[in-house]
Amino acid sequence: MTPSESADIDPTDIDAIRALFALDPAISHLNHGSFGAVPHAVERAAAAWRARADANPNRFFRDDIGPALASARTLAAARLGGRTDDWAFVENATQGINAVVASLDLQPGDVVATTSQAYGAVLKCLRHHTARTGATLVVVPLPMPAEGPEAIAAAWARAMTRPVRLAVLDQIVSQTALILPLGQMIPAARAAGALVLVDGAHGPGQVTLDVPRIGADWYVGNAHKWLFAARGTALLWAAPDRQEGLHPTAISHGLGQGYGAEFAWTGTRDFSAWAALDAAIAFHDRLGGSKLIARNQAKAAGAAARLTAAWREVAAAPASMSAAMATIRLPPALQGGPETAEALRRHLSAIHRIEVPLWAEGGRLWLRVSAQAYNRDDEYDALGEAVLAIVAKGGI
Ligand SMILES: Cc1ncc(COP(=O)(O)O)c(C=O)c1O
């Protein structure tokens, strides 16, 4: 860390915060949620690990990396809850979810249940493994926009009236930014006999976590989104009684030696991002830790209020059910399908230099904003005006 990087950061000094990231100063990066943003300090820490590996590959892979990753998992446990031994590194949420589902030995007739707001790639994983094994995938429709936790929990509970082998539930939904009421949904899934996998891709760093208390069997969370880890860093938690028979997506030397050993080595790879998890957690703390989480949530709620007012539109979830992201419907003049959403995203990026994800749902377009320490309120106003300007000229 350079001296300026170890000083306390004033959360209102957005220019100073922005300088801690490699982000192009010319863009308005309102999409922390999809791919995160890597701080210089974390990239430097990862580069130092890469340099160690390059200086003496034999010693690094045989002697150094094992203890380094064990201490990184201990830090993860201290931050996210549970015991070191219950946490394993995976590359990303996709890989962790695939590992759990593929390990389950699904049988014909088994029911796998998820919601209509599950992440697209996760739905594909579930479709693949249910089709492969003759199991049945049930996708429970959730109301959108969400009005409150009760309606969501009730929609889920109505589908939990048959035996379910596996329930896959998001902690924070990608497209709608909705925090699912897991405290009600997991007990309903348990009553149907289900094992529960929580997709916490957006959880670590966006909300405060004590993973074992969620009450799931498995939890997968990305550290490379809201915890500022270098990309390719995700963490899989397995309850102690759900570790046997759980295999990584690549079987390697650790096979048969237990959960920790199997996930510790899945072949030669660049371990630098995982080994630098300490720098990511230190950076999150430096920006405020739990205070950063609260500030981002307030900033996102403010952004949702500004944009819904500017566009006279609705948010996909109430602020009380969201954290550092908000999804807002675009004015009716900008209707269309996935191609229109993609064309609009490209236009906002190329012409207005604003980065946001957009989706089409039932002919209407929705746009998600993220709130991170480096974002200013006026960036959301500029987005609001850009969309209104597009509406005024009749489209892009
Ligand atoms: C809810 C959810 N699940 C899974 C993923 C996949 O994450 P990754 O691309 O890191 O595997 C995402 C990515 O945004 C997500 O939002």
Side-chain angles (χ1 to χ4, degrees), residues 7-251:
D8 275 352
I9 280 282
D10 170 2
T12 62
D13 190 350
I14 307 273
D15 285 342
I17 293 173
R18 185 108 188 180
L20 301 176
F21 292 84
L23 290 168
D24 178 350
I27 65 159
S28 189
H29 185 53
L30 300 182
N31 187 17
H32 190 90
S34 289
F35 310 110
V38 186
H40 290 301
V42 175
E43 192 40 53
R44 264 200 301 277
W49 281 106
R50 273 195 299 278
R52 265 178 82 170
D54 292 342
N56 188 341
N58 194 51
R59 194 179 66 198
F60 180 81
F61 285 104
R62 293 189 189 280
D63 301 327
D64 297 349
I65 193 60
L69 295 184
S71 60
R73 284 164 50 231
T74 298
L75 283 180
R79 187 55 156 236
L80 307 175
R83 307 173 318 156
T84 302
D85 288 352
D86 302 336
W87 288 98
F89 277 107
V90 285
E91 307 258 337
N92 46 47
T94 305
Q95 207 183 72
I97 288 163
N98 271 270
V100 172
V101 178
S103 296
L104 257 187
D105 191 24
L106 291 169
Q107 299 293 318
D110 282 348
V111 171
V112 175
T114 191
T115 78
S116 54
Q117 298 198 13
Y119 188 68
V122 173
L123 268 176
K124 286 189 178 172
C125 163
L126 299 180
R127 275 200 201 105
H128 173 74
H129 286 290
T130 49
R132 182 179 65 76
T133 56
T136 303
L137 177 63
V138 173
V139 179
V140 180
L142 297 185
M144 183 173 156
E147 279 169 14
E150 291 72 24
I152 301 283
W156 174 253
R158 276 195 293 279
M160 294 296 108
T161 48
R162 61 196 285 193
V164 173
R165 174 96 191 278
L166 174 70
V168 182
L169 290 168
D170 288 8
Q171 182 179 26
I172 303 174
V173 170
S174 171
Q175 292 198 352
T176 58
L178 176 72
I179 299 178
L180 289 185
L182 295 182
Q184 290 156 271
M185 296 171 85
I186 291 177
R190 294 277 184 222
L195 294 166
V196 178
L197 164 61
V198 169
D199 175 356
H202 281 279
Q206 183 173 178
V207 289
T208 305
L209 273 169
D210 185 0
V211 167
R213 292 188 61 145
I214 292 174
D217 296 288
W218 305 278
Y219 176 96
V220 182
N222 276 327
H224 57 212
K225 289 184 188 284
W226 297 90
L227 204 55
F228 297 121
R231 289 191 194 89
T233 308
L235 289 147
L236 166 64
W237 176 87
D241 58 344
R242 295 293 170 208
Q243 294 172 5
E244 203 184 318
L246 178 55
H247 304 294
T249 49
I251 302 295

Side-chain angles (χ1 to χ4, degrees), residues 223-312:
H224 57 212
K225 289 184 188 284
W226 297 90
L227 204 55
F228 297 121
R231 289 191 194 89
T233 308
L235 289 147
L236 166 64
W237 176 87
D241 58 344
R242 295 293 170 208
Q243 294 172 5
E244 203 184 318
L246 178 55
H247 304 294
T249 49
I251 302 295
S252 187
H253 293 301
L255 183 66
Q257 293 169 32
Y259 171 64
E262 290 204 26
F263 281 83
W265 186 267
T266 55
T268 307
R269 67 184 305 282
D270 180 354
F271 287 105
S272 58
W274 298 359
L277 184 69
D278 58 345
I281 291 176
F283 186 83
H284 191 270
D285 281 341
R286 189 168 169 237
L287 288 188
S290 56
K291 288 195 203 110
L292 171 69
I293 287 174
R295 278 197 296 268
N296 286 347
Q297 181 163 15
K299 199 181 276 186
R306 292 161 118 90
L307 292 172
T308 51
W311 300 341
R312 302 203 180 137

